[in-house]
Short mmCIF file of all heavy atoms in Angstrom, two decimals:
data_model
loop_
_atom_site.label_atom_id
_atom_site.label_comp_id
_atom_site.label_asym_id
_atom_site.label_seq_id
_atom_site.Cartn_x
_atom_site.Cartn_y
_atom_site.Cartn_z
N ALA A 1 0.89 -1.19 0.02
CA ALA A 1 0.00 0.03 0.00
C ALA A 1 0.88 1.21 -0.02
O ALA A 1 1.93 1.24 0.67
CB ALA A 1 -0.91 -0.05 1.24
N ILE A 2 0.44 2.28 -0.71
CA ILE A 2 1.08 3.53 -0.76
C ILE A 2 0.37 4.57 -0.02
O ILE A 2 -0.88 4.73 -0.29
CB ILE A 2 1.29 3.92 -2.19
CG1 ILE A 2 2.24 2.96 -2.96
CG2 ILE A 2 1.94 5.32 -2.22
CD1 ILE A 2 2.42 3.29 -4.40
N ALA A 3 0.97 5.26 0.92
CA ALA A 3 0.35 6.32 1.60
C ALA A 3 0.92 7.59 1.12
O ALA A 3 1.98 7.63 0.48
CB ALA A 3 0.62 6.11 3.10
N MET A 4 0.14 8.60 1.29
CA MET A 4 0.59 9.99 0.83
C MET A 4 0.82 10.87 2.01
O MET A 4 0.07 10.82 2.99
CB MET A 4 -0.49 10.62 -0.07
CG MET A 4 -0.81 9.79 -1.23
SD MET A 4 0.58 9.67 -2.40
CE MET A 4 0.21 10.93 -3.54
N ILE A 5 1.84 11.67 1.96
CA ILE A 5 2.05 12.68 2.97
C ILE A 5 1.74 14.05 2.40
O ILE A 5 2.30 14.34 1.29
CB ILE A 5 3.60 12.68 3.42
CG1 ILE A 5 3.95 11.28 4.02
CG2 ILE A 5 3.89 13.70 4.41
CD1 ILE A 5 5.41 11.08 4.14
N ASN A 6 0.85 14.75 2.97
CA ASN A 6 0.51 16.09 2.40
C ASN A 6 0.97 17.17 3.41
O ASN A 6 0.58 17.15 4.58
CB ASN A 6 -1.04 16.17 2.23
CG ASN A 6 -1.43 17.45 1.59
OD1 ASN A 6 -0.79 18.00 0.71
ND2 ASN A 6 -2.56 18.05 2.05
N VAL A 7 1.84 17.97 2.90
CA VAL A 7 2.36 19.08 3.71
C VAL A 7 1.75 20.39 3.30
O VAL A 7 1.78 20.64 2.15
CB VAL A 7 3.98 19.16 3.57
CG1 VAL A 7 4.50 20.30 4.43
CG2 VAL A 7 4.52 17.80 3.94
N ILE A 8 1.22 21.17 4.18
CA ILE A 8 0.71 22.44 3.85
C ILE A 8 1.57 23.56 4.38
O ILE A 8 1.85 23.56 5.63
CB ILE A 8 -0.74 22.58 4.40
CG1 ILE A 8 -1.66 21.52 3.83
CG2 ILE A 8 -1.27 24.04 4.09
CD1 ILE A 8 -3.04 21.41 4.48
N VAL A 9 2.05 24.38 3.53
CA VAL A 9 2.95 25.52 3.98
C VAL A 9 2.08 26.78 3.87
O VAL A 9 1.58 27.10 2.87
CB VAL A 9 4.17 25.57 2.99
CG1 VAL A 9 5.03 26.75 3.34
CG2 VAL A 9 4.90 24.28 2.96
N LYS A 10 2.06 27.42 5.04
CA LYS A 10 1.20 28.68 5.11
C LYS A 10 2.18 29.91 5.33
O LYS A 10 3.22 29.79 5.95
CB LYS A 10 0.26 28.56 6.24
CG LYS A 10 -0.82 27.50 6.08
CD LYS A 10 -1.78 27.56 7.22
CE LYS A 10 -2.78 26.45 7.03
NZ LYS A 10 -3.76 26.48 8.16
N GLY A 11 1.74 31.05 4.93
CA GLY A 11 2.47 32.25 5.24
C GLY A 11 1.54 33.44 5.27
O GLY A 11 0.40 33.40 4.94
N ARG A 12 2.09 34.52 5.79
CA ARG A 12 1.32 35.79 5.93
C ARG A 12 0.94 36.36 4.57
O ARG A 12 -0.08 37.02 4.41
CB ARG A 12 2.14 36.82 6.70
CG ARG A 12 2.26 36.48 8.15
CD ARG A 12 2.96 37.53 8.86
NE ARG A 12 3.21 37.09 10.24
CZ ARG A 12 3.15 37.82 11.32
NH1 ARG A 12 2.83 39.09 11.19
NH2 ARG A 12 3.40 37.28 12.52
N THR A 13 1.76 36.09 3.56
CA THR A 13 1.44 36.55 2.21
C THR A 13 1.68 35.31 1.29
O THR A 13 2.34 34.27 1.59
CB THR A 13 2.38 37.61 1.71
OG1 THR A 13 3.79 37.06 1.60
CG2 THR A 13 2.34 38.81 2.65
N ALA A 14 1.08 35.33 0.09
CA ALA A 14 1.17 34.25 -0.85
C ALA A 14 2.65 34.03 -1.26
O ALA A 14 3.11 32.93 -1.39
CB ALA A 14 0.30 34.50 -2.05
N ASP A 15 3.40 35.21 -1.45
CA ASP A 15 4.75 35.19 -1.84
C ASP A 15 5.63 34.43 -0.73
O ASP A 15 6.49 33.60 -1.06
CB ASP A 15 5.36 36.55 -2.12
CG ASP A 15 4.86 37.11 -3.44
OD1 ASP A 15 4.36 36.28 -4.31
OD2 ASP A 15 4.97 38.33 -3.54
N ALA A 16 5.37 34.79 0.49
CA ALA A 16 6.11 34.19 1.61
C ALA A 16 5.78 32.68 1.68
O ALA A 16 6.76 31.89 1.88
CB ALA A 16 5.77 34.85 2.95
N ALA A 17 4.58 32.32 1.58
CA ALA A 17 4.20 30.86 1.55
C ALA A 17 4.90 30.18 0.41
O ALA A 17 5.39 29.00 0.55
CB ALA A 17 2.70 30.71 1.53
N LEU A 18 4.89 30.73 -0.77
CA LEU A 18 5.44 30.06 -1.90
C LEU A 18 6.94 29.88 -1.80
O LEU A 18 7.52 28.87 -2.14
CB LEU A 18 5.05 30.82 -3.23
CG LEU A 18 5.59 30.23 -4.57
CD1 LEU A 18 5.04 28.85 -4.70
CD2 LEU A 18 5.18 31.06 -5.70
N MET A 19 7.64 30.94 -1.28
CA MET A 19 9.11 30.87 -1.14
C MET A 19 9.44 29.80 -0.13
O MET A 19 10.31 28.93 -0.37
CB MET A 19 9.60 32.23 -0.70
CG MET A 19 9.68 33.26 -1.68
SD MET A 19 10.27 34.93 -1.21
CE MET A 19 11.77 34.54 -0.34
N ALA A 20 8.69 29.69 0.97
CA ALA A 20 8.93 28.65 1.97
C ALA A 20 8.64 27.22 1.41
O ALA A 20 9.39 26.29 1.68
CB ALA A 20 8.05 28.88 3.25
N ALA A 21 7.62 27.11 0.62
CA ALA A 21 7.30 25.83 0.03
C ALA A 21 8.35 25.39 -0.98
O ALA A 21 8.77 24.21 -1.00
CB ALA A 21 5.94 25.93 -0.77
N HIS A 22 8.80 26.30 -1.82
CA HIS A 22 9.90 25.96 -2.72
C HIS A 22 11.13 25.58 -1.95
O HIS A 22 11.91 24.62 -2.34
CB HIS A 22 10.19 27.16 -3.64
CG HIS A 22 9.39 27.20 -4.87
ND1 HIS A 22 9.34 26.33 -5.81
CD2 HIS A 22 8.48 28.14 -5.15
CE1 HIS A 22 8.41 26.61 -6.76
NE2 HIS A 22 7.82 27.77 -6.32
N GLU A 23 11.54 26.19 -0.88
CA GLU A 23 12.67 25.91 -0.07
C GLU A 23 12.50 24.48 0.51
O GLU A 23 13.47 23.69 0.50
CB GLU A 23 12.86 26.87 1.00
CG GLU A 23 14.13 26.68 1.84
CD GLU A 23 15.45 26.70 1.07
OE1 GLU A 23 15.52 27.33 0.01
OE2 GLU A 23 16.44 26.00 1.57
N LEU A 24 11.36 24.16 1.05
CA LEU A 24 11.11 22.88 1.58
C LEU A 24 11.24 21.73 0.54
O LEU A 24 11.84 20.70 0.76
CB LEU A 24 9.66 22.83 2.18
CG LEU A 24 9.31 21.45 2.86
CD1 LEU A 24 10.31 21.10 3.97
CD2 LEU A 24 7.89 21.49 3.40
N VAL A 25 10.68 21.97 -0.63
CA VAL A 25 10.81 20.99 -1.73
C VAL A 25 12.30 20.83 -2.12
O VAL A 25 12.80 19.73 -2.35
CB VAL A 25 9.97 21.42 -2.92
CG1 VAL A 25 10.34 20.58 -4.19
CG2 VAL A 25 8.51 21.31 -2.65
N LYS A 26 13.01 21.92 -2.21
CA LYS A 26 14.41 21.87 -2.59
C LYS A 26 15.20 21.04 -1.56
O LYS A 26 15.98 20.16 -1.94
CB LYS A 26 15.01 23.32 -2.69
CG LYS A 26 16.47 23.37 -2.96
CD LYS A 26 16.87 24.90 -3.02
CE LYS A 26 18.29 25.06 -2.65
NZ LYS A 26 18.65 26.44 -2.52
N ARG A 27 14.98 21.28 -0.30
CA ARG A 27 15.68 20.53 0.73
C ARG A 27 15.31 19.05 0.75
O ARG A 27 16.14 18.14 0.94
CB ARG A 27 15.43 21.17 2.10
CG ARG A 27 16.09 22.48 2.29
CD ARG A 27 15.76 22.99 3.70
NE ARG A 27 16.41 24.36 3.79
CZ ARG A 27 16.71 24.86 4.98
NH1 ARG A 27 16.50 24.17 6.10
NH2 ARG A 27 17.31 26.05 5.08
N THR A 28 14.00 18.75 0.51
CA THR A 28 13.57 17.39 0.55
C THR A 28 14.14 16.63 -0.66
O THR A 28 14.65 15.54 -0.54
CB THR A 28 12.06 17.34 0.45
OG1 THR A 28 11.50 18.07 1.61
CG2 THR A 28 11.55 15.95 0.46
N ARG A 29 14.14 17.25 -1.83
CA ARG A 29 14.79 16.65 -3.04
C ARG A 29 16.22 16.43 -2.81
O ARG A 29 16.75 15.38 -3.32
CB ARG A 29 14.43 17.44 -4.27
CG ARG A 29 12.92 17.30 -4.62
CD ARG A 29 12.64 18.07 -5.93
NE ARG A 29 11.28 17.88 -6.33
CZ ARG A 29 10.58 18.70 -7.01
NH1 ARG A 29 11.09 19.87 -7.45
NH2 ARG A 29 9.27 18.43 -7.35
N HIS A 30 16.93 17.34 -2.23
CA HIS A 30 18.40 17.21 -1.98
C HIS A 30 18.64 16.11 -1.08
O HIS A 30 19.55 15.29 -1.28
CB HIS A 30 18.99 18.51 -1.45
CG HIS A 30 20.45 18.45 -1.18
ND1 HIS A 30 21.37 18.39 -2.12
CD2 HIS A 30 21.04 18.38 0.11
CE1 HIS A 30 22.55 18.30 -1.51
NE2 HIS A 30 22.34 18.33 -0.22
N ARG A 31 17.89 15.95 -0.01
CA ARG A 31 18.15 14.91 0.97
C ARG A 31 17.65 13.52 0.51
O ARG A 31 18.24 12.55 0.93
CB ARG A 31 17.37 15.31 2.27
CG ARG A 31 17.66 14.40 3.40
CD ARG A 31 17.22 14.96 4.71
NE ARG A 31 17.57 14.01 5.74
CZ ARG A 31 17.77 14.28 6.94
NH1 ARG A 31 17.70 15.53 7.38
NH2 ARG A 31 18.03 13.37 7.85
N HIS A 32 16.64 13.48 -0.32
CA HIS A 32 16.13 12.22 -0.84
C HIS A 32 16.04 12.31 -2.35
O HIS A 32 14.94 12.42 -2.93
CB HIS A 32 14.71 11.92 -0.24
CG HIS A 32 14.68 11.97 1.25
ND1 HIS A 32 15.10 10.85 1.94
CD2 HIS A 32 14.30 12.87 2.15
CE1 HIS A 32 14.95 11.10 3.22
NE2 HIS A 32 14.49 12.33 3.38
N PRO A 33 17.16 12.24 -3.10
CA PRO A 33 17.21 12.49 -4.56
C PRO A 33 16.36 11.46 -5.33
O PRO A 33 15.99 11.74 -6.43
CB PRO A 33 18.68 12.39 -4.88
CG PRO A 33 19.33 11.69 -3.77
CD PRO A 33 18.51 11.98 -2.56
N HIS A 34 16.09 10.30 -4.75
CA HIS A 34 15.35 9.25 -5.47
C HIS A 34 13.90 9.18 -5.12
O HIS A 34 13.13 8.51 -5.70
CB HIS A 34 15.95 7.88 -5.35
CG HIS A 34 17.38 7.80 -5.72
ND1 HIS A 34 17.73 7.90 -7.02
CD2 HIS A 34 18.59 7.70 -5.07
CE1 HIS A 34 19.10 7.82 -7.16
NE2 HIS A 34 19.58 7.69 -6.00
N GLY A 35 13.50 10.09 -4.19
CA GLY A 35 12.17 10.18 -3.79
C GLY A 35 11.35 11.04 -4.74
O GLY A 35 11.94 11.80 -5.53
N GLN A 36 10.06 10.94 -4.61
CA GLN A 36 9.12 11.82 -5.57
C GLN A 36 8.41 12.85 -4.68
O GLN A 36 7.82 12.53 -3.62
CB GLN A 36 8.12 10.84 -6.17
CG GLN A 36 7.23 11.62 -7.16
CD GLN A 36 6.16 10.70 -7.75
OE1 GLN A 36 6.12 9.49 -7.45
NE2 GLN A 36 5.37 11.15 -8.54
N VAL A 37 8.49 14.09 -5.15
CA VAL A 37 7.89 15.16 -4.42
C VAL A 37 7.04 15.92 -5.49
O VAL A 37 7.47 16.24 -6.61
CB VAL A 37 8.86 16.16 -3.82
CG1 VAL A 37 8.14 17.27 -3.17
CG2 VAL A 37 9.81 15.48 -2.83
N VAL A 38 5.74 16.12 -5.19
CA VAL A 38 4.83 16.78 -6.12
C VAL A 38 4.44 18.13 -5.48
O VAL A 38 3.97 18.23 -4.35
CB VAL A 38 3.58 15.91 -6.39
CG1 VAL A 38 2.64 16.68 -7.30
CG2 VAL A 38 3.93 14.59 -6.88
N GLY A 39 4.70 19.21 -6.28
CA GLY A 39 4.30 20.49 -5.72
C GLY A 39 5.55 21.42 -5.67
O GLY A 39 6.61 21.08 -6.08
N PRO A 40 5.31 22.60 -5.20
CA PRO A 40 4.19 23.07 -4.54
C PRO A 40 3.04 23.45 -5.53
O PRO A 40 3.31 23.81 -6.69
CB PRO A 40 4.64 24.36 -3.78
CG PRO A 40 5.80 24.83 -4.54
CD PRO A 40 6.45 23.64 -5.13
N ALA A 41 1.77 23.32 -5.03
CA ALA A 41 0.66 23.68 -5.76
C ALA A 41 -0.24 24.55 -4.84
O ALA A 41 -0.24 24.34 -3.63
CB ALA A 41 -0.09 22.43 -6.20
N PRO A 42 -0.97 25.52 -5.44
CA PRO A 42 -1.87 26.32 -4.60
C PRO A 42 -2.82 25.55 -3.73
O PRO A 42 -3.37 24.47 -4.29
CB PRO A 42 -2.57 27.23 -5.60
CG PRO A 42 -1.66 27.24 -6.78
CD PRO A 42 -1.02 25.92 -6.87
N ALA A 43 -2.95 25.91 -2.56
CA ALA A 43 -3.93 25.20 -1.64
C ALA A 43 -5.33 25.35 -2.13
O ALA A 43 -5.64 26.20 -2.96
CB ALA A 43 -3.72 25.71 -0.16
N ALA A 44 -6.20 24.57 -1.61
CA ALA A 44 -7.62 24.56 -1.95
C ALA A 44 -8.25 25.98 -1.87
O ALA A 44 -7.88 26.75 -0.97
CB ALA A 44 -8.39 23.61 -1.12
N LEU A 45 -9.11 26.30 -2.81
CA LEU A 45 -9.66 27.60 -2.89
C LEU A 45 -10.41 27.99 -1.52
O LEU A 45 -10.40 29.12 -1.18
CB LEU A 45 -10.65 27.66 -4.02
CG LEU A 45 -11.36 28.97 -4.35
CD1 LEU A 45 -10.26 30.04 -4.57
CD2 LEU A 45 -12.28 28.87 -5.50
N ALA A 46 -10.99 27.03 -0.85
CA ALA A 46 -11.61 27.30 0.37
C ALA A 46 -10.70 27.92 1.38
O ALA A 46 -11.08 28.79 2.22
CB ALA A 46 -12.29 26.03 0.91
N LYS A 47 -9.45 27.41 1.39
CA LYS A 47 -8.45 27.91 2.35
C LYS A 47 -8.13 29.31 2.04
O LYS A 47 -7.96 30.23 2.96
CB LYS A 47 -7.22 27.07 2.33
CG LYS A 47 -7.44 25.67 2.80
CD LYS A 47 -6.07 24.87 2.70
CE LYS A 47 -6.31 23.40 2.89
NZ LYS A 47 -5.15 22.57 2.59
N VAL A 48 -8.01 29.66 0.80
CA VAL A 48 -7.71 31.01 0.30
C VAL A 48 -8.79 31.90 0.63
O VAL A 48 -8.61 33.06 1.16
CB VAL A 48 -7.31 31.04 -1.13
CG1 VAL A 48 -7.06 32.44 -1.64
CG2 VAL A 48 -6.11 30.15 -1.39
N ARG A 49 -9.99 31.50 0.38
CA ARG A 49 -11.23 32.35 0.67
C ARG A 49 -11.26 32.65 2.21
O ARG A 49 -11.83 33.64 2.52
CB ARG A 49 -12.48 31.67 0.25
CG ARG A 49 -12.68 31.69 -1.30
CD ARG A 49 -14.00 31.23 -1.63
NE ARG A 49 -14.18 31.32 -3.09
CZ ARG A 49 -14.92 30.55 -3.84
NH1 ARG A 49 -15.65 29.59 -3.23
NH2 ARG A 49 -15.05 30.76 -5.13
N ALA A 50 -10.78 31.81 3.00
CA ALA A 50 -10.86 31.99 4.45
C ALA A 50 -9.81 32.95 4.95
O ALA A 50 -9.61 33.18 6.05
CB ALA A 50 -10.70 30.69 5.18
N GLY A 51 -9.03 33.47 3.93
CA GLY A 51 -8.06 34.58 4.32
C GLY A 51 -6.66 34.03 4.39
O GLY A 51 -5.77 34.76 4.80
N GLY A 52 -6.48 32.82 4.02
CA GLY A 52 -5.11 32.24 4.08
C GLY A 52 -4.36 32.25 2.81
O GLY A 52 -4.99 32.36 1.72
N HIS A 53 -3.13 32.01 2.83
CA HIS A 53 -2.21 31.79 1.66
C HIS A 53 -1.48 30.51 1.98
O HIS A 53 -0.86 30.36 3.01
CB HIS A 53 -1.21 32.97 1.49
CG HIS A 53 -1.95 34.26 1.44
ND1 HIS A 53 -2.49 34.71 0.25
CD2 HIS A 53 -2.07 35.24 2.38
CE1 HIS A 53 -2.98 35.94 0.43
NE2 HIS A 53 -2.70 36.27 1.69
N GLY A 54 -1.61 29.52 1.03
CA GLY A 54 -0.96 28.36 1.30
C GLY A 54 -0.70 27.52 0.03
O GLY A 54 -1.22 27.79 -0.99
N PHE A 55 0.28 26.62 0.22
CA PHE A 55 0.65 25.77 -0.92
C PHE A 55 0.82 24.29 -0.33
O PHE A 55 1.30 24.11 0.71
CB PHE A 55 1.95 26.22 -1.54
CG PHE A 55 1.88 27.54 -2.25
CD1 PHE A 55 1.99 28.76 -1.54
CD2 PHE A 55 1.44 27.52 -3.59
CE1 PHE A 55 1.79 29.93 -2.22
CE2 PHE A 55 1.26 28.78 -4.21
CZ PHE A 55 1.39 29.93 -3.53
N ASP A 56 0.30 23.37 -1.19
CA ASP A 56 0.42 21.96 -0.77
C ASP A 56 1.61 21.36 -1.47
O ASP A 56 1.93 21.62 -2.60
CB ASP A 56 -0.88 21.19 -1.26
CG ASP A 56 -2.13 21.63 -0.55
OD1 ASP A 56 -2.00 22.05 0.67
OD2 ASP A 56 -3.21 21.46 -1.03
N ILE A 57 2.24 20.35 -0.71
CA ILE A 57 3.30 19.57 -1.24
C ILE A 57 2.95 18.17 -0.89
O ILE A 57 2.61 17.87 0.22
CB ILE A 57 4.62 19.92 -0.57
CG1 ILE A 57 5.06 21.34 -0.92
CG2 ILE A 57 5.77 18.97 -1.04
CD1 ILE A 57 6.14 21.85 -0.03
N VAL A 58 2.94 17.26 -1.87
CA VAL A 58 2.56 15.84 -1.62
C VAL A 58 3.70 14.88 -1.92
O VAL A 58 4.45 15.04 -2.87
CB VAL A 58 1.39 15.45 -2.59
CG1 VAL A 58 1.02 13.99 -2.41
CG2 VAL A 58 0.20 16.32 -2.37
N VAL A 59 3.93 13.96 -0.93
CA VAL A 59 5.06 13.04 -1.08
C VAL A 59 4.47 11.62 -0.89
O VAL A 59 3.97 11.25 0.16
CB VAL A 59 6.14 13.29 0.05
CG1 VAL A 59 7.20 12.25 -0.03
CG2 VAL A 59 6.55 14.73 -0.01
N PRO A 60 4.53 10.83 -1.99
CA PRO A 60 4.07 9.42 -1.86
C PRO A 60 5.08 8.73 -0.89
O PRO A 60 6.27 8.70 -1.24
CB PRO A 60 4.14 8.86 -3.27
CG PRO A 60 4.22 10.10 -4.19
CD PRO A 60 4.88 11.15 -3.38
N SER A 61 4.61 8.21 0.13
CA SER A 61 5.59 7.66 1.16
C SER A 61 6.37 6.48 0.62
O SER A 61 7.46 6.24 1.01
CB SER A 61 4.79 7.24 2.41
OG SER A 61 3.85 6.15 2.14
N ALA A 62 5.74 5.66 -0.29
CA ALA A 62 6.57 4.54 -0.90
C ALA A 62 7.77 4.99 -1.61
O ALA A 62 8.80 4.24 -1.75
CB ALA A 62 5.65 3.71 -1.76
N SER A 63 7.83 6.26 -2.09
CA SER A 63 9.01 6.72 -2.77
C SER A 63 10.24 6.89 -1.82
O SER A 63 11.39 7.08 -2.26
CB SER A 63 8.77 8.01 -3.57
OG SER A 63 8.48 9.08 -2.63
N PHE A 64 9.99 6.81 -0.50
CA PHE A 64 11.01 7.02 0.44
C PHE A 64 11.35 5.81 1.17
O PHE A 64 12.13 5.73 2.11
CB PHE A 64 10.70 8.18 1.45
CG PHE A 64 10.77 9.47 0.82
CD1 PHE A 64 9.67 10.09 0.25
CD2 PHE A 64 12.02 10.21 0.70
CE1 PHE A 64 9.75 11.35 -0.32
CE2 PHE A 64 12.08 11.42 0.13
CZ PHE A 64 10.94 12.05 -0.38
N ILE A 65 10.60 4.69 0.91
CA ILE A 65 10.80 3.48 1.61
C ILE A 65 11.44 2.42 0.69
O ILE A 65 10.76 2.14 -0.41
CB ILE A 65 9.46 2.87 2.11
CG1 ILE A 65 8.81 3.88 3.10
CG2 ILE A 65 9.64 1.54 2.79
CD1 ILE A 65 7.37 3.59 3.50
N PRO A 66 12.59 1.90 0.95
CA PRO A 66 13.22 0.98 0.06
C PRO A 66 12.33 -0.29 -0.02
O PRO A 66 11.81 -0.73 0.92
CB PRO A 66 14.53 0.61 0.77
CG PRO A 66 14.71 1.61 1.85
CD PRO A 66 13.36 2.17 2.15
N GLU A 67 12.25 -0.82 -1.19
CA GLU A 67 11.47 -2.06 -1.46
C GLU A 67 12.26 -3.31 -1.23
O GLU A 67 13.44 -3.32 -1.25
CB GLU A 67 10.92 -2.03 -2.83
CG GLU A 67 9.86 -0.90 -3.01
CD GLU A 67 9.23 -1.06 -4.42
OE1 GLU A 67 9.03 -2.16 -4.87
OE2 GLU A 67 8.86 0.03 -4.90
#
């Protein structure tokens, strides 16, 4: 079975959240070069409408677990 890890990066502004999300993806890819990382992608519209700024990053857990 494959599980997914969903990380939500939030910030006071959309630019701050996006910069933090890109940095997290960069560090994750550097530390786990054979793993798969999807994103960042804008968070769900409902979150943005609630006054937040966020980006989702998804990591299939099987990509980090040796078979």
Side-chain angles (χ1 to χ4, degrees):
I2 297 176
M4 302 294 262
I5 301 167
N6 184 38
V7 178
I8 300 171
V9 179
K10 296 181 181 181
R12 291 182 186 217
T13 67
D15 287 341
L18 184 58
M19 286 177 51
H22 277 293
E23 182 63 25
L24 180 59
V25 168
K26 178 180 153 186
R27 289 179 181 206
T28 302
R29 287 181 176 155
H30 177 73
R31 188 167 179 152
H32 303 282
H34 301 291
Q36 182 180 1
V37 179
V38 180
L45 185 57
K47 293 177 192 172
V48 175
R49 284 188 178 154
H53 303 282
F55 292 87
D56 292 333
I57 299 167
V58 177
V59 180
S61 64
S63 68
F64 289 94
I65 301 171
E67 293 186 32

